[in-house]
Amino acid sequence: MGGLLDIFEKKGPRRILIFALIILILYSVKSMMNIILLTFIFAFLLDRLIEFTIKRVHLNRKLLVILLYTVIVGLLTVGVVKYLPLITMEISQIIIRITNFFSEPHDNVLLSYLESVISSNQIAAYLENGFSFLLKYFSDISKTSIQVLLALVLSLFFLLEKPRLIEFTNKFKDSKIAPFYFEIEFFGKKFTRTFGKVIEAQFIIAIVNTILSVIVLLILGFPQIIGLAIMIFFLGLIPVAGVIISLVPLTIIAFTIGGFLKVVYVIIAVMIIHGIEAYILNPKLMSSKTDLPVFYTFIVLIFSQNFFGVWGLIIGIPVFVFLLDILDVTNKESAHPTSILKSKKTR
């Protein structure tokens, strides 16, 4: 027993044990993972928006939180009542279009080859999971609404009482479980700095990609714009692979409504939008630590999708970046010399 306590007193083994304990606790409550992830995402993103607004417009924090949540709940209510049937119908029509394309025989050699590539690779699984996810969540609105509502309520209380929560939580520093508190604080800060920031960047990139894509699709005369916009947004949350996956249904629909010429227009537009993401948005929003090789990105997405389903496609890269941060895997070449010196001093 004494040997076990001696091991626990050492920082490294203690940190590993507490990290393993956190993973075990999260695994035991995996049925609540939707609410946990939604609450964190809502709380983090809306807290960033509130801090951004307060710096520019001097308003009372609690008043701003209440106003923001009132607007969100109002927009969600209007969206559910007015647009939910339309969204569900449009997503169903998109699925029917793509299913009909694959079920019909194609004499063209290029189309046959593309169909075989899509069917035999992970892209087909991603598309199937993605569309099933969208249709399931927009069809089973009662369960989804309850989860989103609970996450919004929890994040609302967190943001309203954030200063008080921080003050109360700091009391654990002088408690009997102080060693646990400091390790959990360490992981919490790392998680917020990496997972939170990557999720924030993915949301901003997804919104910009969706707006640009919708403008292009409207110009090209695409049908089911609302359904396609939702599809592009959710696929935009998947780093790198999202652009490739979204290109598949877009090119299929383009071919069915306008032939090869419209497919060429779509490919050019997607390449331009991807260029804006890769060379303008990513460098500004992502740190050097998240600049993963494409091979690593796809490996992480494949494994995370198999283990966590559709959520794995969205949180796989942020979780991997979080683990890299814990292991102190950094891009030393791109880091500023002063930051490296500071990190050495702190160690």
Side-chain angles (χ1 to χ4, degrees):
M1 186 69 179
L4 184 62
L5 289 173
D6 291 339
I7 292 172
F8 192 75
E9 285 177 1
K10 295 178 181 178
K11 190 174 184 179
R14 182 175 68 236
R15 185 162 289 175
I16 292 169
L17 285 171
I18 291 174
F19 186 62
L21 180 63
I22 292 170
I23 293 172
L24 185 64
I25 291 169
L26 288 174
Y27 181 78
S28 65
V29 295
K30 62 181 180 179
S31 60
M32 297 176 61
M33 197 55 65
N34 277 358
I35 295 174
I36 293 169
L37 287 171
L38 286 171
T39 302
F40 176 82
I41 291 169
F42 287 152
F44 183 84
L45 294 179
L46 293 174
D47 182 57
R48 296 277 293 174
L49 180 60
I50 288 163
E51 294 297 333
F52 177 83
T53 307
I54 286 175
K55 286 179 182 177
R56 287 153 181 79
V57 182
H58 298 289
L59 286 174
N60 180 272
R61 180 186 171 84
K62 289 188 176 181
L63 177 63
L64 185 59
V65 170
I66 292 168
L67 286 173
L68 181 61
Y69 273 81
T70 303
V71 171
I72 290 171
V73 171
L75 290 174
L76 284 174
T77 305
V78 171
V80 168
V81 173
K82 191 172 180 180
Y83 294 106
L84 181 65
L86 176 63
I87 292 168
T88 307
M89 182 186 69
E90 289 201 357
I91 293 171
S92 301
Q93 288 175 350
I94 292 169
I95 294 170
I96 291 167
R97 277 179 178 272
I98 294 170
T99 305
N100 290 340
F101 177 83
F102 283 112
S103 61
E104 293 173 0
H106 299 289
D107 296 329
N108 189 287
V109 177
L110 179 61
L111 286 177
S112 301
Y113 174 74
L114 288 174
E115 186 179 341
S116 64
V117 169
I118 293 165
S119 301
S120 61
N121 282 282
Q122 198 70 22
I123 294 172
Y126 288 163
L127 277 172
E128 185 181 349
N129 284 337
F131 281 117
S132 300
F133 171 81
L134 288 176
L135 195 58
K136 176 187 171 185
Y137 272 66
F138 283 107
S139 302
D140 188 13
I141 193 63
S142 57
K143 184 180 177 182
T144 308
S145 298
I146 290 169
Q147 290 177 341
V148 171
L149 184 62
L150 281 173
L152 280 172
V153 170
L154 288 170
S155 62
L156 171 63
F157 286 129
F158 172 82
L159 293 176
L160 283 174
E161 296 193 311
K162 184 184 173 183
R164 188 182 171 193
L165 283 169
I166 294 171
E167 184 184 348
F168 179 81
T169 308
N170 283 336
K171 293 178 181 179
F172 287 100
K173 289 181 179 179
D174 301 317
S175 67
K176 292 180 180 179
I177 59 167
F180 286 94
Y181 170 81
F182 286 116
E183 296 305 326
I184 292 170
E185 182 186 42
F186 167 80
F187 288 121
K189 286 181 178 178
K190 291 276 188 183
F191 189 77
T192 304
R193 189 175 64 192
T194 53
F195 183 94
K197 291 292 178 67
V198 175
I199 285 287
E200 179 188 9
Q202 285 180 197
F203 264 85
I204 294 171
I205 290 169
I207 290 168
V208 174
N209 282 351
T210 303
I211 293 169
L212 294 176
S213 299
V214 166
I215 292 169
V216 171
L217 296 180
L218 283 169
I219 293 170
L220 293 175
F222 268 63
Q224 291 94 41
I225 289 293
I226 297 175
L228 288 172
I230 291 168
M231 180 202 73
I232 292 166
F233 174 76
F234 279 105
L235 290 175
L237 295 174
I238 306 171
V240 182
V243 175
I244 298 169
I245 298 167
S246 66
L247 189 59
V248 175
L250 289 177
T251 51
I252 290 170
I253 295 169
F255 181 77
T256 59
I257 65 172
F260 275 109
L261 185 60
K262 194 144 285 191
V263 171
V264 172
Y265 290 153
V266 168
I267 292 172
I268 292 170
V270 170
M271 286 174 64
I272 293 169
I273 292 169
H274 179 62
I276 293 169
E277 174 190 336
Y279 297 105
I280 299 175
L281 295 177
N282 270 337
K284 288 184 177 294
L285 299 172
M286 298 282 196
S287 66
S288 60
K289 194 176 294 184
T290 61
D291 188 19
L292 299 175
V294 175
F295 177 78
Y296 271 91
T297 301
F298 275 97
I299 290 294
V300 171
L301 289 174
I302 289 168
F303 276 92
S304 59
Q305 188 270 333
N306 285 328
F307 281 108
F308 304 110
V310 177
W311 265 118
L313 295 173
I314 297 172
I315 68 169
I317 297 298
V319 168
F320 185 68
V321 173
F322 166 64
L323 293 175
L324 290 181
D325 198 30
I326 288 176
L327 297 171
D328 201 20
V329 180
T330 55
N331 190 350
K332 300 292 184 185
E333 292 178 3
S334 63
H336 195 274
T338 55
S339 64
I340 297 172
L341 289 173
K342 285 179 183 177
S343 64
K344 287 181 179 177
K345 286 178 183 178
T346 53
R347 291 178 195 172

